[in-house]
Amino acid sequence: MPENSITGRSVRRSAVALGLAVVTATATATAATATASASAAAGTATTPAVPARSVVHVSTLPNGDRVTVRGSGAHTTTMVATPDGRSAPAVQMVVGGHAYVVPVSVIASGQAYDPAAYDTAAPTAIRPAAVTPHYPLSILEIDGIGLDGATAQATTFLFNTDDMKRFAAPIPLSNGVARIAVPSGNYCAVTVFATLGPAKGQVTEHVVTRTDLAVTAAGTTTLTADERTATARVGVVTPRPSTADSDMEVIDRTDAAGTMGQVTASGTGSTWVTPQPAAQIGALAFRVLGFGAAGPDGPDPYRYDLSFAPSDHIDANQTYRPDPSRIQTSHNVFDTDAVNPAHQAGWDIGASGPDGGFGIMHFVPVPGRLTDYVGVSTDDVSWSAEYMPVENAPNQDSELEFDDLDFYRGPGQTWRTWGHGPLTPQVGQYTNGMACNVCVDPDTDLMDFGITQFTDSDPNSAAHDLGPGYTSTFSVYRDGVQVATQSGWPLTEVSGTTAQPGTYRMVYDADTTGSGLPMSQSTKTHTDIAFQYTPGSAQQPTLPADDICYAANFEPLKCEILPALSLDYQLSTDGSDTSRLPVQLLDLGVGHQSYQGQGSHAAITGATVAVSYDTGKTWVPAAVAPTGNGHYLAAWPNKAPKGSTPWLKVTATDAIGGSISQTVADAYTIG
């Protein structure tokens, strides 16, 4: 098939939401924290640091746009959305503990605004009101010139390249002009012009960069930021025909002392940049960190999400070609709840480099499928993906998110079904880096107890619900005595005399009915997991180095994986978790929590399955037959009326005294 050169962009019905990395203190903002209690005689329960998957911080900008920061470290992303949930392209400036997030609509409006009010990292109370004149000051005048040659509105992101601690901030142009007193010296200026397109959410950006600018002490220095100098249009040539729908350019500017500031510009329309040479003072790194393009509508939906190598200058040729040998072909199947009113879901694909990353949200029709060609040009970029199977309203992000933080695994093909129910809490069987749910540090006797709030039919999956109406209770017992209980986040830590040999139980009750999500399935769950803790047991292997152990203060090789049981449901239903079979089938997998293959391999000794057609009042045993390797085939009649949502109850045991019992309300729908 001939190559297709992408230079233009159109906004498709699958709206795009901006994602921006926050490489500042915002990345460690705390999500909802849990409180734990325990009797003094039994020991002390504490709440360890919240896992990366749960770190969420939501703030509202002065213009009403909502900024949502998810994750931490290299996997931090910021989503910016309008009050009605549409995407909000923005420009971010990260420097010196500040993260200014300025929506493009604010830049394009021509209205005066206070940049400090758009600083999502620094608390208002400590934002400096003005430059402190520790250095000789000079006057810098910035004149914005538009495509028509007249004065134009824009925002200049200005860095002192001698020492960014002297000055670094956004400067809005008022009526196309700004005059400001700054410390004399050398600067880099990135001026962003934005024009809102005819389609809702579409924006064209011209990014005018001046790599080196000397601002002298005598008189006034004038910087002319001319939109017409942004002559290089960012585009990608893809192997299959596609139309660009998102891009993100990152400009890293390092001062003479080695301190770095960053400007990240996103686009949902065409993006043009000004060619610039390498920096004379400090260093410049320009990178198209992410470029997204969708294939034409049809029975074989596909898209490209690509990342390219950085350069020490901004080249006049901004047309890129991916390396076919570094593309991963990712086959994705998207399931959703039977009552999803929008028949769409969120697909968030994001790239992270050594200096931060981004995530781009696309709305996809569901049930559905998508082939995503994910590519990198260098090994310092990783890709992550999130799937949101249901939404609060059309074009609004869901609060139920399934994550894959290591989505790009190298060239080749991958297959995954997302959101196939029932959606249940599990301790999980993870092949990627993950925080251990149930681990112990034998040196300190600290024990972590936790459970992943939601998993789907992929045992490597993990999701959480951030809805304010989602309720849950998590309790831990040792030899029948409760040692911890809390509401909210299902993760706690026990220490002291509680961390000793014995029988431990975790009991987790969760209810999504008040979360605001349109969910008719997997609405309530009751999970009861028991296991034996025996110091030095061969059934408690060491946690691999790529995983996280809170009990050992993030040193995984000190932690032992405790033998908690986990379930994997492969239910014979369609993409809306609906069954039209006269006899329902379930391939039930029973195993122990594991991380990259490490975990207990004790034999599974039995499993039962029961179904209720009357909301748990009575239960009918299913026929269950072992099929080997911890798997069981269960069958029962779908004898309830169309539209019914049967409940399931599953139990299982192992050969070392472990057990699990789980009840799932509204496990699927009879069609």
Side-chain angles (χ1 to χ4, degrees):
M1 186 171 292
E3 293 181 323
N4 178 49
S5 178
I6 304 169
T7 53
R9 297 161 175 80
S10 64
V11 175
R12 303 162 60 85
R13 288 182 61 86
S14 56
V16 180
L18 164 72
L20 299 166
V22 174
V23 289
T24 64
T26 303
T28 57
T30 305
T33 57
T35 58
S37 62
S39 65
T44 303
T46 62
T47 303
V50 180
R53 297 174 190 271
S54 70
V55 176
V56 176
H57 177 71
V58 180
S59 59
T60 302
L61 298 175
N63 73 326
D65 287 354
R66 185 185 63 206
V67 180
T68 303
V69 181
R70 296 183 175 92
S72 64
H75 297 294
T76 302
T77 60
T78 298
M79 308 300 297
V80 184
T82 58
D84 64 357
R86 292 182 296 105
S87 68
V91 180
Q92 178 175 260
M93 179 183 190
V94 175
V95 62
H98 299 272
Y100 301 94
V101 179
V102 185
V104 168
S105 61
V106 173
I107 295 175
S109 70
Q111 301 298 314
Y113 70 93
D114 177 12
Y118 290 85
D119 185 353
T120 61
T124 302
I126 65 172
R127 290 174 181 148
V131 175
T132 303
H134 295 306
Y135 307 94
L137 298 181
S138 296
I139 300 300
L140 172 65
E141 178 177 314
I142 306 173
D143 295 335
I145 306 298
L147 295 176
D148 58 0
T151 58
Q153 302 304 125
T155 293
T156 297
F157 299 86
L158 187 68
F159 301 91
N160 185 296
T161 54
D162 297 318
D163 185 350
M164 289 188 188
K165 292 192 291 293
R166 297 181 185 179
F167 188 91
I171 303 174
L173 277 58
S174 176
N175 297 318
V177 179
R179 287 176 63 88
I180 185 171
V182 297
S184 301
N186 296 287
Y187 286 83
C188 172
V190 180
T191 303
V192 178
F193 297 83
T195 303
L196 302 180
K200 209 171 187 179
Q202 186 178 22
V203 59
T204 297
E205 290 180 79
H206 288 77
V207 181
V208 178
T209 301
R210 179 77 172 268
T211 306
D212 291 286
L213 170 69
V215 179
T216 59
T220 298
T221 301
T222 300
L223 167 65
T224 300
D226 192 334
E227 188 174 9
R228 295 170 296 184
T229 64
T231 55
R233 194 175 190 176
V234 178
V236 172
V237 177
T238 57
R240 300 178 68 182
S242 59
T243 301
D245 57 17
S246 57
D247 64 86
M248 185 162 291
E249 292 73 36
V250 178
I251 298 173
D252 290 338
R253 191 63 170 91
T254 304
D255 66 16
T259 300
M260 190 188 75
Q262 184 181 88
V263 172
T264 304
S266 71
T268 54
S270 58
T271 298
W272 304 71
V273 297
T274 300
Q276 281 288 285
Q280 298 176 9
I281 297 174
L284 171 79
F286 173 80
R287 182 174 209 163
V288 178
L289 184 60
F291 193 96
D297 294 333
D300 177 27
Y302 64 87
R303 64 174 293 106
Y304 287 87
D305 287 291
L306 307 167
S307 179
F308 299 95
S311 172
D312 67 353
H313 65 285
I314 303 176
D315 200 82
N317 181 2
Q318 289 295 320
T319 299
Y320 296 84
R321 294 173 181 267
D323 181 351
S325 69
R326 298 182 68 103
I327 289 180
Q328 170 182 292
T329 302
S330 169
H331 304 278
N332 302 279
V333 176
F334 300 133
D335 285 8
T336 190
D337 196 285
V339 300
N340 183 344
H343 298 290
Q344 67 179 19
W347 174 242
D348 185 347
I349 180 77
S352 295
D355 301 318
F358 75 100
I360 297 292
M361 171 85 78
H362 305 273
F363 291 114
V364 294
V366 288
R369 59 191 180 89
L370 175 70
T371 300
D372 200 332
Y373 299 102
V374 183
V376 302
S377 296
T378 55
D379 292 331
D380 61 349
V381 173
S382 62
W383 283 88
S384 61
E386 287 185 343
Y387 174 63
M388 285 132 279
V390 292
E391 302 173 39
N392 286 324
N395 296 331
Q396 188 168 357
D397 295 358
S398 170
E399 292 160 339
L400 179 62
E401 304 166 347
F402 285 90
D403 301 327
D404 190 336
L405 300 184
D406 297 294
F407 188 65
Y408 180 80
R409 297 177 175 85
Q413 299 194 67
T414 63
W415 286 264
R416 177 158 182 174
T417 297
W418 298 80
H420 188 73
L423 308 181
T424 60
Q426 303 293 341
V427 291
Q429 296 178 314
Y430 298 100
T431 58
N432 302 331
M434 178 66 174
C436 181
N437 274 319
V438 194
C439 271
V440 61
D441 179 358
D443 294 342
T444 63
D445 285 338
L446 285 175
M447 301 181 74
D448 289 333
F449 293 92
I451 193 166
T452 301
Q453 288 176 299
F454 295 93
T455 65
D456 56 20
S457 61
D458 187 325
N460 193 53
S461 70
H464 50 265
D465 188 323
L466 306 176
Y470 174 80
T471 58
S472 64
T473 302
F474 182 65
S475 301
V476 179
Y477 300 82
R478 180 180 63 83
D479 294 333
V481 177
Q482 188 180 86
V483 296
T485 187
Q486 63 191 43
S487 299
W489 185 243
L491 173 64
T492 191
E493 191 170 83
V494 298
S495 60
T497 57
T498 57
Q500 58 183 270
T503 299
Y504 286 83
R505 285 179 60 215
M506 300 189 303
V507 179
Y508 182 55
D509 289 285
D511 187 342
T512 69
T513 55
S515 67
L517 297 176
M519 293 179 63
S520 65
Q521 301 161 339
S522 304
T523 55
K524 298 179 182 179
T525 56
H526 171 77
T527 306
D528 189 328
I529 303 173
F531 59 89
Q532 301 289 326
Y533 168 45
T534 305
S537 170
Q539 297 299 331
Q540 297 165 188
T542 302
L543 188 68
D546 292 340
D547 298 289
I548 295 172
C549 181
Y550 295 106
N553 194 26
F554 299 91
E555 295 184 37
L557 295 178
K558 290 181 61 180
C559 268
E560 295 179 1
I561 305 169
L562 295 172
L565 284 169
S566 192
L567 301 175
D568 176 36
Y569 296 84
Q570 299 289 336
L571 195 60
S572 296
T573 52
D574 64 14
S576 64
D577 294 320
T578 299
S579 175
R580 294 169 179 82
L581 299 172
V583 176
Q584 184 60 46
L585 299 177
L586 167 65
D587 177 4
L588 175 68
V590 184
H592 296 85
Q593 74 160 341
S594 61
Y595 302 89
Q596 301 181 65
Q598 295 299 307
S600 173
H601 294 283
I604 305 303
T605 55
T608 69
V609 177
V611 60
S612 175
Y613 306 102
D614 56 7
T615 65
K617 298 181 180 66
T618 60
W619 294 92
V620 178
V624 178
T627 57
N629 197 29
H631 280 259
Y632 296 83
L633 180 63
W636 61 89
N638 275 326
K639 63 180 183 180
K642 181 178 180 179
S644 299
T645 52
W647 292 26
L648 291 180
K649 181 188 293 183
V650 175
T651 69
T653 56
D654 65 16
I656 55 173
S659 65
I660 184 170
S661 174
Q662 186 166 73
T663 301
V664 185
D666 309 311
Y668 67 101
T669 300
I670 295 178

